Amino acid sequence: MSNRKVNYFYDHDVGNFHYGPGHPMKPHRLSVIHSLVMNYGLHKKMEIYRPYRATSLDMCRFHSEDYIEFLQRVTPQNLQGYTKFLTQCNVGDDCPLFDGLFDFCSMYTGASLQGATKLNHNSCDIAINWSGGLHHAKKFEASGFCYVNDIVIAILELLKYHARVLYIDIDVHHGDGVQEAFYLTDRVMTVSFHKFGNFFFPGTGDMYEIGAENGRYYSLNVPLKEGIDDTSYYQVFQPVIQYVMDFYRPTAIVLQCGADSLAGDRLGCFCLSTKGHGECVKFVRDLNVPLLAVGGGGYTLRNVARCWTYETSLLVDEPISNELPYTEYLEYFAPDFTLHPDIVTRQDNANSKQYLETIVKNVYDNLKLLQNSPSVQMQDVPGDAFPDMANNNVDDKDPDVRITKEEEEAKIEPVNEFYNGDKDQDGEEVSTT
């Protein structure tokens, strides 16, 4: 395990953005995490990269051109000219317009995209991007503090080299944007563990949402109730993921490590400890499949920082002290200054053993309905988003030479590669829920 190569992506500017006063999403948490990672000495166990910044072209591999152009052009100073788009694209309250919004999206998306490319070329075994994991963003609109879905874009890159990609989401909120994107394909299996019911955002993620067409049974949802603790969570997580591995046999995994499933989160309602959350990361690590680990939710800053620092140590397989090292942010962790503080349970665990066993059985029964692991015919591999980035020494083609018809067709997305949204005759998006 210790000889696995880990790449870590961090842009020093990514923590300087601000969603606005009182907003629960705080990019500053990324600066705090990075400081802890460095002061624990974890940087010595991995290669650290200042990541590529995604272009509008990269983002349009999933999102609509109009939506990305809007994100690129709109600013707090000129928003009066974009009133119609603000409503259409769901930019406003939960997803506020702030200075540098497109740059922020470019940084976190580019890091996930570069991580995927490094994995494709076997440049690393594990890629880490704590700034990514914004799983709610949709093709045409922002949602749940997420503007560009870096996960979907990274998975599309992985699909150039991998026949089957597994997406695992342990955020307290359902990974609806990723599920919707790949709802019709068997090349991506999405597995989300989340709070469901009582109008909890985003309101999707019932266990009966299983995919459609070629993707039927390739969407798995594990709807949980409030108050779930480490023991109960792992009682579900371990067998579900093991069943998925046995039936689906993915060749790459993307793990969204949303930390709002921790006890005491400002918006969450689960009772996981950092160690309990980390057990899931460790289990996925030990599957020994190329892994992209990304961040996600997490709204009590000190707990998010503890969690993702600890999970960085797990991914590089390097034990670290419970006593936090000195950093410029040490006062955030008063009064205990520890990596694993005692957790205060706010509510009872509403998940009975019988309820959890029923969910696991349902997942198993659905997986049995898969005929077998899908046999995907891999043809010529499309070009990388940025060939030089993976250090694979591929000569760039002469840009003045016209490409062949076969090369042009190879760039076309296969039918049902990902959900493309539905529009009516007026071009308005039609809800499929």
Side-chain angles (χ1 to χ4, degrees):
M1 178 62 223
S2 56
N3 62 356
R4 301 198 82 196
K5 189 172 180 182
V6 180
N7 286 180
Y8 172 96
F9 300 90
Y10 178 71
D11 192 309
H12 286 276
D13 295 327
V14 77
N16 297 332
F17 296 94
H18 195 246
Y19 274 59
H23 198 286
M25 176 62 102
K26 301 194 182 303
H28 177 56
R29 63 192 183 155
L30 301 166
S31 302
V32 181
I33 294 157
H34 185 69
S35 180
L36 278 173
V37 165
M38 297 298 287
N39 282 285
Y40 263 120
L42 294 173
H43 60 290
K44 299 170 186 173
K45 300 292 180 180
M46 55 193 181
E47 292 182 3
I48 296 184
Y49 292 88
R50 180 163 188 164
Y52 167 84
R53 294 194 179 184
T55 65
S56 57
L57 201 61
D58 296 322
M59 298 176 190
C60 288
R61 289 174 63 184
F62 171 57
H63 295 282
S64 73
E65 290 183 16
D66 287 348
Y67 173 55
I68 295 302
E69 185 178 354
F70 161 69
L71 291 182
Q72 205 167 8
R73 293 178 180 275
V74 69
T75 68
Q77 291 72 40
N78 69 9
L79 61 83
Q80 284 79 14
Y82 290 91
T83 311
K84 178 185 173 186
F85 278 102
L86 289 167
T87 305
Q88 278 183 354
C89 299
N90 196 33
V91 173
D93 298 327
D94 278 355
C95 302
L97 176 61
F98 56 85
D99 282 318
L101 172 58
F102 185 81
D103 288 340
F104 176 62
C105 296
S106 178
M107 288 177 203
Y108 75 73
T109 302
S112 291
L113 189 50
Q114 187 174 5
T117 304
K118 292 280 189 183
L119 291 169
N120 278 347
H121 290 277
N122 301 315
S123 300
C124 65
D125 303 296
I126 298 172
I128 303 172
N129 172 28
W130 296 130
S131 68
L134 279 75
H135 58 171
H136 295 306
K138 308 290 176 56
K139 183 178 177 68
F140 302 100
E141 64 180 32
S143 176
F145 316 158
C146 307
Y147 302 87
V148 172
N149 201 315
D150 63 292
I151 299 168
V152 171
I153 292 166
I155 290 174
L156 289 172
E157 187 69 20
L158 289 169
L159 288 173
K160 291 179 179 178
Y161 285 74
H162 293 275
R164 295 177 300 283
V165 176
L166 171 62
Y167 172 67
I168 305 170
D169 191 317
I170 58 173
D171 195 290
V172 76
H173 301 98
H174 178 229
D176 59 335
V178 185
Q179 174 181 290
E180 182 178 290
F182 298 109
Y183 208 62
L184 305 179
T185 180
D186 58 6
R187 292 196 58 205
V188 180
M189 180 171 280
T190 60
V191 186
S192 180
F193 302 79
H194 51 267
K195 167 71 169 75
F196 180 75
N198 298 329
F199 306 104
F200 193 76
F201 183 86
T204 53
D206 192 296
M207 72 169 77
Y208 302 110
E209 295 172 25
I210 58 172
E213 298 183 19
N214 289 347
R216 187 169 176 82
Y217 304 121
Y218 291 90
S219 289
L220 296 180
N221 286 295
V222 180
L224 302 167
K225 300 176 183 177
E226 61 276 0
I228 194 164
D229 57 22
D230 293 348
T231 304
S232 296
Y233 199 93
Y234 200 68
Q235 177 194 334
V236 174
F237 184 85
Q238 190 271 342
V240 165
I241 297 304
Q242 192 58 61
Y243 289 149
V244 167
M245 295 302 295
D246 294 343
F247 281 94
Y248 190 58
R249 302 197 301 277
T251 56
I253 297 174
V254 177
L255 174 61
Q256 199 267 20
C257 304
D260 46 8
S261 44
L262 294 172
D265 187 81
R266 180 174 170 185
L267 299 184
C269 57
F270 287 175
C271 292
L272 300 186
S273 68
T274 50
K275 285 186 176 178
H277 198 273
E279 280 301 308
C280 300
V281 175
K282 192 189 300 184
F283 185 82
V284 175
R285 176 201 73 183
D286 290 344
L287 296 171
N288 289 318
V289 174
L291 173 64
L292 171 61
V294 294
Y299 308 102
T300 300
L301 190 150
R302 61 186 178 276
N303 291 344
V304 183
R306 286 175 169 122
C307 183
W308 292 346
T309 300
Y310 174 58
E311 288 170 356
T312 303
S313 79
L314 294 176
L315 291 169
V316 299
D317 200 23
E318 181 70 16
I320 55 176
S321 167
N322 187 41
E323 183 180 341
L324 293 174
Y326 178 78
T327 72
E328 63 269 46
Y329 305 112
L330 192 61
E331 72 271 15
Y332 290 13
F333 304 96
D336 54 280
F337 305 106
T338 58
L339 187 64
H340 303 291
D342 293 334
I343 65 171
V344 179
T345 305
R346 290 192 291 187
Q347 69 251 71
D348 294 332
N349 184 355
N351 300 268
S352 67
K353 188 176 181 186
Q354 183 180 14
Y355 174 70
L356 297 177
E357 287 172 349
T358 301
I359 291 175
V360 173
K361 183 179 185 304
N362 182 75
V363 168
Y364 181 71
D365 289 345
N366 278 347
L367 285 167
K368 282 198 301 185
L369 295 171
L370 301 179
Q371 292 301 306
N372 46 42
S373 196
S375 176
V376 179
Q377 184 179 359
M378 297 294 282
Q379 298 175 338
D380 292 338
V381 178
D384 293 314
F386 11 74
D388 58 324
M389 196 186 66
N391 300 319
N392 58 337
N393 299 319
V394 176
D395 293 330
D396 289 339
K397 290 192 175 183
D398 186 340
D400 295 326
V401 176
R402 179 175 293 181
I403 65 173
T404 66
K405 184 173 185 294
E406 289 76 15
E407 289 172 322
E408 179 66 36
E409 288 176 347
K411 293 183 176 182
I412 298 171
E413 297 284 0
V415 176
N416 285 350
E417 191 62 58
F418 61 91
Y419 175 73
N420 203 36
D422 294 314
K423 290 193 173 185
D424 63 18
Q425 292 177 335
D426 299 320
E428 296 296 324
E429 187 181 1
V430 177
S431 172
T432 57
T433 55

